[in-house]
């Protein structure tokens, strides 16, 4: 029969390795931004350090956003404005290298 002490040390090692794997596989803000632009058909060009973005042949501006990485998952929210004043908000959740679109609601409040 294994003692608690002999079980504790391998348990800690496995926990550290698992947490390191989850942290390593969590998407970065750049990966989430690139995925979000591709997924929502927003095309951006860089002209002299200034990004110009279009969606459906209309100019959009990135107004605000935030990225949160808590080690084993990450979340990203970005708001864009059309010239007309219409607002687009995209939310994404990243876990184990996968990026999932999210809607505003209870689940988004929990992960953010």
């Amino acid at each position: 029969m294994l003692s608690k002490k002999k079980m504790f040390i391998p348990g800690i090692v496995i926990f550290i390795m698992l947490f390191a794997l989850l942290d390593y596989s969590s998407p970065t803000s750049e990966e989430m931004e690139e995925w979000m632009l591709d997924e929502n058909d927003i095309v951006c060009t860089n002209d002299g350090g200034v990004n110009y973005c279009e969606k459906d042949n209309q100019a959009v501006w990135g107004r605000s956003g935030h990225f949160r990485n808590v080690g084993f998952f990450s979340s990203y929210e970005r708001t864009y404005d059309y010239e007309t004043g219409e607002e687009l908000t995209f939310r994404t959740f990243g876990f184990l290298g996968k990026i999932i679109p999210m809607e505003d609601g209870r689940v988004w409040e929990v992960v953010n």
Side-chain angles (χ1 to χ4, degrees):
M1 185 89 166
L2 293 174
S3 69
K4 289 183 181 181
K5 193 175 197 179
K6 287 184 180 179
M7 292 293 291
F8 181 74
I9 293 173
I12 293 294
V13 170
I14 289 171
F15 175 78
I16 291 170
M17 290 175 60
L18 181 62
F19 188 79
L21 174 68
L22 290 172
D23 185 46
Y24 179 74
S25 65
S26 182
T28 64
S29 62
E30 291 82 17
E31 291 171 331
M32 302 226 4
E33 175 80 15
E34 184 180 322
W35 181 89
M36 187 191 58
L37 292 173
D38 290 343
E39 190 72 16
N40 296 294
D41 299 322
I42 298 174
V43 179
C44 293
T45 56
N46 191 327
D47 184 24
V50 178
N51 279 342
Y52 296 99
C53 299
E54 289 186 346
K55 178 174 173 59
D56 302 326
N57 294 323
Q58 291 184 344
V60 292
W61 291 275
R63 189 185 73 196
S64 65
H66 76 274
F67 174 73
R68 173 184 254 177
N69 186 342
V70 293
F72 57 94
F73 74 86
S74 55
S75 63
Y76 186 73
E77 180 178 56
R78 184 85 165 147
T79 301
Y80 288 93
D81 287 330
Y82 279 109
E83 291 176 319
T84 60
E86 183 184 350
E87 196 175 89
L88 296 167
T89 302
F90 301 111
R91 296 171 182 88
T92 57
F93 177 78
F95 181 72
L96 290 176
K98 303 285 186 206
I99 300 174
I100 304 162
M102 299 279 298
E103 297 291 329
D104 193 18
R106 185 82 168 129
V107 175
W108 181 253
E109 291 175 14
V110 170
V111 299
N112 240 350

